[in-house]
Amino acid sequence: MKIGMVGLGRMGANMTKRLIEKGHEVAVYDPNAAAVAAAEAEGAQGTHSLDELVGALEAPRAVWLMVPSGEITQSSVAALAKLLTAGDTIVDGGNSPYRDAQRWSEELRPAGLHFVDAGVSGGIWGLQVGYCLMVGGPDEAVDRLEPIFTALAPPDGYAHVGPSGAGHYTKMV
């Protein structure tokens, strides 16, 4: 499966590496060119913009945001909403408030876009042992992305915990 990854800090870079090691294709974007180059050295397809990232994916596309919660996540969701088409999915793997995930899901629904929130735990050990994933979102999108979730998680380390917002809520609790 091919997925886009936005944000190549420690977690995003290691998640990208783990996905590649598990046989997935990953197109990446980060404003830090050195981070993109490092991901390319691991086998990722580097891009220079969100527009180029979306163009590197085939429909139905999935783009995973691994950026800090707040304005950067909000602006990334808004930018991607303009670039993606019906059936595509945005995954927020940051620590956004669950109410933001609920709102984004509602805002994206009229365009036919799916929003999945993934509470991610694993820190620096995630690359080696896997990331615990608490996933919220519509069944259709979560089911399609299950190969990504199971590649990132250790055995039995991923759960679909409910609709959009439930993933971040579960991690918060």
Side-chain angles (χ1 to χ4, degrees):
M1 177 171 222
K2 188 167 186 178
I3 190 167
M5 180 69 73
V6 176
L8 297 172
R10 184 176 304 231
M11 293 275 289
N14 282 343
M15 289 170 71
T16 296
K17 185 175 182 178
R18 185 170 172 93
L19 286 169
I20 292 168
E21 288 174 354
K22 298 286 185 173
H24 295 281
E25 296 178 70
V26 185
V28 298
Y29 169 69
D30 192 290
N32 179 341
V36 172
E40 288 175 323
E42 296 290 344
Q45 177 184 353
T47 66
H48 299 92
S49 67
L50 289 177
D51 187 48
E52 190 177 328
L53 177 79
V54 169
L57 303 171
E58 294 180 15
R61 293 171 284 265
V63 178
W64 189 302
L65 299 174
M66 205 61 201
V67 297
S69 67
E71 178 54 35
I72 187 70
T73 301
Q74 177 62 49
S75 63
S76 296
V77 169
L80 286 168
K82 294 175 184 172
L83 298 170
L84 297 172
T85 58
D88 293 345
T89 303
I90 298 171
V91 179
D92 175 20
N95 289 322
S96 297
Y98 74 94
R99 291 189 193 280
D100 286 352
Q102 292 172 326
R103 178 174 46 84
W104 292 325
S105 178
E106 290 300 318
E107 289 173 359
L108 296 170
R109 187 172 292 124
L113 299 174
H114 301 292
F115 187 84
V116 172
D117 57 302
V120 179
S121 294
I124 59 174
W125 302 279
L127 174 60
Q128 295 163 339
V129 299
Y131 300 89
C132 179
L133 301 175
M134 296 142 276
V135 177
D139 291 344
E140 176 185 348
V142 173
D143 290 347
R144 188 174 70 78
L145 293 173
E146 189 165 277
I148 296 295
F149 302 140
T150 57
L152 287 170
D156 298 321
Y158 133 75
H160 181 195
V161 295
S164 296
H168 289 318
Y169 185 85
T170 302
K171 182 169 184 208
M172 175 188 70
V173 171

